[in-house]
C-alpha cells in the first residue's frame, strides 16, 4: 500500500529546473534560486542511527521485536481496541521510546538548520519519537502525521493530561488514568493507533507540497497512505530529493528528481557539504544536545554501525526484562514453592493412617491450591504446573546474535 508502479526517468531526458540530477546541482539551485519553501517528509529511517529500531525491518524492526511479547500480533500494541483492554504492553514500549532517552541524528539537525535559515516551509513526519522537537525544529513547522509523544489525553473524555505526570508514569511503566475523578479513563499519548483518524493538522497541511520550491524525502518506505501520497503533490518542475536506502514511491520518475541512495546521515552530510554547511551542521549536532543520552554521541571508529545498534538493543532488552520483573529472585521463589509442594505430595504418599483429628490437616496439605490461589500457572492442557522461565523474553530482540547489515 502506498508504493506505486513507476518507470525511472530516461537518463537522456534533461532536467527542467536543475543543471543536472546531482547533489551539487541541488545545492546550486538552493543557493542561486534563494529557495525559501522547502517541504521535508521523513520516516523512521532518520531515527535508526539514534538507536531506535524502525517498524518494519524483518529482523530489527519494532514489530519483529514485539512479536516476542505476549501479543496476539505485533501491531496490537498500536491497536486502540487492544489498548482499551490491555494498555500495559504499550506502556512497556513507551518506557523505552519516550522522548529524552535518545539523541537526534544529523538528519534531524539538518532539518533544524533549514528552519534556522528560514528555508523550511513544513516538515511532515511519520515518526512518533519527537526527535525533530529535541533537535529544535519549531512546533509550528512540524506536522506529525501519525501523532507523537508530545501530548497526551484521556481516550474517553479527551481531557489533556499533564506532561510531568505522564513522564513519571512512563518512567515507571505504569498506566496513567484521567485526572477527572468521575471519568478515570485510560490516558494515551496523541499517537495515532490503528482504528483512529489521522490528526486534523495533517489534512489541513496536506496540500503544502504543491506550493514548495523543493521537496526532500528521507528515511521512509512510503508504504502507508495517505502519507505516501505527499511527494506526488509537488508541482512539475519542482526538484524532489530522495535520501533513502532504497528507491520508493514514484521518486526518480520526474526530470528533476535526484536520488541519494544509502544511509540517511551520510546522504545529509553530502548535501550539507555541497551547500557549504557541513561544519555548521556538525557543530550544531555536537553542542546542542549535551549530557548522557541513549543515542550515539559521536562517530565511533572502533565500532561498526551494526555493533552500535546491537549495544542499544541490548540495553532495551535489559530494561524490558526489568520492567516485567522477570528477575532471578522471582524464579527462585517459584522454584522453592514448587519444591515445598513436591515434599507435601511425598509425605501424603507415605501416610497410611492418621488419627481422625488430623485428617483435616492432611486434606489441606494435599490440596494446596485452595490456600495459594494464582501463585502458579496451571493453565496447561494436561493440568500440570508450569515452571516459569527466567528468559521468557529470550528475547524481545532475537536478532542480537546475527545482526544483519544496515
Amino acid at each position: 500500500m502506498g508504493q506505486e508502479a513507476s518507470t525511472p526517468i530516461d537518463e537522456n531526458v534533461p532536467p527542467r529546473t536543475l543543471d543536472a540530477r546531482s547533489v551539487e546541482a541541488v545545492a546550486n539551485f538552493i543557493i542561486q534560486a534563494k529557495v525559501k519553501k522547502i517541504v521535508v517528509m521523513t520516516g523512521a529511517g532518520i531515527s535508526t542511527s539514534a538507536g531506535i529500531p524502525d517498524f518494519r525491518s524483518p529482523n530489527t524492526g519494532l514489530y519483529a521485536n514485539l512479536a516476542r511479547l505476549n501479543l496476539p500480533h505485533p501491531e496490537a500494541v498500536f491497536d486502540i481496541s487492544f489498548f482499551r483492554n490491555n494498555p500495559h504492553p504499550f506502556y512497556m514500549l513507551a518506557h523505552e521510546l519516550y522522548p529524552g532517552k535518545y539523541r537526534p541524528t544529523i538528519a534531524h539537525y539538518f532539518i533544524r538548520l533549514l528552519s534556522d535559515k528560514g528555508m523550511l516551509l513544513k516538515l511532515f513526519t511519520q515518526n512518533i519519537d519527537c526527535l525533530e522537537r529535541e533537535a529544535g525544529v519549531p512546533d509550528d513547522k512540524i506536522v506529525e502525521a501519525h501523532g507523537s509523544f508530545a501530548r497526551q489525553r484521556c481516550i474517553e473524555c479527551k481531557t489533556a493530561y499533564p506532561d510531568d505526570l505522564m513522564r513519571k508514569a512512563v518512567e515507571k511503566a505504569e498506566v496513567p488514568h484521567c485526572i477527572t475523578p468521575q471519568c478515570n479513563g485510560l490516558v494515551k499519548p496523541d499517537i495515532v493507533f490503528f482504528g483512529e483518524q489521522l490528526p486534523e493538522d495533517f489534512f489541513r497541511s496536506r496540500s503544502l507540497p504543491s506550493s514548495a520550491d523543493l521537496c526532500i524525502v528521507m528515511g521512509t518506505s512510503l508504504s502507508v497512505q495517505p502519507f505516501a501520497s505527499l511527494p506526488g503533490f509537488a508541482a512539475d518542475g519542482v526538484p524532489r530529493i530522495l535520501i533513502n536506502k532504497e528507491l520508493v514511491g514514484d521518486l526518480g520518475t520526474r526530470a528533476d528528481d535526484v536520488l541519494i541512495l544509502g544511509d540517511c546521515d551520510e546522504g545529509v552530510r553530502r548535501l550539507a557539504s555541497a551547500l557549504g554547511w557541513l561544519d555548521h551542521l556538525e557543530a550544531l549536532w555536537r553542542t546542542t544536545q549535551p549530557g548522557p543520552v541513549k543515542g550515539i554521541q559521536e562517530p565511533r571508529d572502533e565500532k561498526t554501525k551494526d555493533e552500535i545498534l546491537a549495544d542499544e538493543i541490548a540495553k532495551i532488552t535489559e530494561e524490558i526484562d526489568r520492567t516485567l520483573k522477570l528477575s532471578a529472585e522471582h524464579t527462585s521463589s517459584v522454584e522453592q514453592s514448587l519444591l515445598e509442594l513436591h515434599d507435601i505430595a511425598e509425605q501424603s504418599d507415605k501416610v497410611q493412617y492418621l488419627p481422625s483429628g488430623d485428617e483435616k490437616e492432611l486434606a489441606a496439605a494435599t490440596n494446596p491450591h485452595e490456600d495459594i490461589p494464582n501463585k502458579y500457572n496451571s493453565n496447561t492442557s494436561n493440568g500440570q504446573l508450569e515452571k516459569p522461565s527466567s528468559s521468557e523474553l529470550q528475547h524481545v530482540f532475537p536478532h542480537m546474535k546475527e545482526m544483519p547489515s544496515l
Side-chain angles (χ1 to χ4, degrees):
M1 183 175 170
Q3 293 282 15
E4 301 171 5
S6 55
T7 303
I9 191 75
D10 191 304
E11 292 182 1
N12 296 318
V13 176
R16 294 171 51 184
T17 304
L18 300 174
D19 297 331
R21 285 188 285 272
S22 68
V23 175
E24 292 71 24
V26 172
N28 290 337
F29 173 72
I30 291 173
I31 295 168
Q32 294 173 7
K34 298 181 179 179
V35 168
K36 294 292 182 184
K37 296 186 292 183
I38 298 177
V39 171
V40 180
M41 308 158 201
T42 65
I46 71 166
S47 295
T48 52
S49 66
I52 301 177
D54 65 11
F55 282 87
R56 292 178 173 80
S57 291
N59 295 315
T60 60
L62 281 173
Y63 286 156
N65 300 331
L66 288 170
R68 296 293 177 150
L69 293 177
N70 187 23
L71 299 171
H73 50 87
E75 292 86 351
V77 75
F78 292 117
D79 185 286
I80 189 61
S81 298
F82 182 85
F83 178 84
R84 287 179 180 276
N85 291 311
N86 183 9
H88 295 283
F90 171 78
Y91 275 101
M92 285 189 290
L93 178 65
H95 177 73
E96 303 306 327
L97 299 182
Y98 203 69
K101 291 194 170 188
Y102 296 90
R103 181 188 183 186
T105 67
I106 280 285
H108 292 103
Y109 280 109
F110 180 76
I111 302 167
R112 152 81 181 275
L113 196 54
L114 291 177
S115 177
D116 288 351
K117 291 179 177 292
M119 297 180 176
L120 182 65
L121 176 61
K122 193 69 74 173
L123 163 66
F124 291 84
T125 180
Q126 295 170 280
N127 299 338
I128 64 175
D129 52 37
C130 293
L131 289 185
E132 301 86 4
R133 296 173 183 272
E134 296 277 336
V137 180
D139 180 81
D140 64 350
K141 293 292 185 180
I142 303 173
V143 175
E144 292 162 326
H146 298 162
S148 77
F149 284 104
R151 301 174 184 87
Q152 55 282 323
R153 67 194 69 248
C154 172
I155 65 173
E156 302 299 342
C157 70
K158 309 305 178 186
T159 298
Y161 192 76
D163 292 345
D164 58 336
L165 295 181
M166 187 66 175
R167 183 172 291 278
K168 289 178 182 177
V170 170
E171 285 175 353
K172 298 177 181 178
E174 295 177 349
V175 178
H177 288 79
C178 185
I179 56 176
T180 304
Q182 59 269 31
C183 176
N184 199 39
L186 292 170
V187 169
K188 179 180 77 66
D190 287 347
I191 295 169
V192 179
F193 278 24
F194 296 111
E196 293 186 310
Q197 293 294 319
L198 268 62
E200 291 182 7
D201 190 31
F202 174 81
F203 295 103
R204 285 196 302 266
S205 306
R206 188 180 179 185
S207 63
L208 281 177
S210 64
S211 59
D213 46 25
L214 179 72
C215 290
I216 301 176
V217 180
M218 293 195 290
T220 174
S221 63
L222 290 182
S223 60
V224 178
Q225 292 286 8
F227 190 93
S229 66
L230 291 176
F233 281 94
D236 289 340
V238 170
R240 302 186 305 174
I241 318 305
L242 176 67
I243 304 176
N244 209 44
K245 283 187 175 181
E246 58 188 2
L247 193 62
V248 294
D250 71 341
L251 276 301
T253 64
R254 297 187 186 182
D256 290 286
D257 287 353
V258 176
L259 310 177
I260 308 174
L261 300 183
D263 178 80
C264 285
D265 287 347
E266 293 310 309
V268 162
R269 284 187 171 98
R270 284 182 59 193
L271 180 54
S273 179
L275 286 162
W277 299 353
L278 185 57
D279 289 344
H280 186 182
L281 178 62
E282 294 281 4
L284 187 64
W285 184 60
R286 287 194 185 97
T287 62
T288 57
Q289 197 76 340
V293 289
K294 265 196 171 184
I296 303 167
Q297 294 291 327
E298 297 290 343
R300 299 170 65 182
D301 295 334
E302 70 274 14
K303 285 191 176 183
T304 67
K305 183 167 288 187
D306 286 353
E307 291 170 335
I308 293 170
L309 183 57
D311 288 346
E312 295 304 320
I313 291 174
K315 293 176 185 176
I316 294 175
T317 303
E318 202 175 303
E319 292 191 15
I320 288 180
D321 283 345
R322 282 202 300 270
T323 301
L324 293 176
K325 299 179 181 178
L326 296 176
S327 64
E329 290 81 5
H330 173 74
T331 303
S332 176
S333 173
V334 172
E335 289 175 343
Q336 182 61 37
S337 297
L338 288 171
L339 286 172
E340 291 173 3
L341 280 177
H342 178 69
D343 291 344
I344 291 170
E346 283 189 341
Q347 291 173 13
S348 67
D349 288 340
K350 294 177 180 178
V351 174
Q352 300 299 321
Y353 170 79
L354 283 178
S356 58
D358 293 335
E359 289 175 356
K360 291 184 179 179
E361 293 180 13
L362 176 60
T366 54
N367 290 279
H369 293 289
E370 294 179 3
D371 297 326
I372 319 173
N374 299 323
K375 190 170 183 180
Y376 306 102
N377 176 17
S378 60
N379 186 24
T380 61
S381 59
N382 59 11
Q384 297 298 312
L385 298 178
E386 280 188 351
K387 174 183 171 184
S389 169
S390 61
S391 57
E392 284 178 350
L393 293 182
Q394 203 165 61
H395 259 85
V396 180
F397 301 96
H399 57 288
M400 288 296 299
K401 293 184 179 178
E402 297 182 13
M403 289 293 299
S405 298
L406 295 182

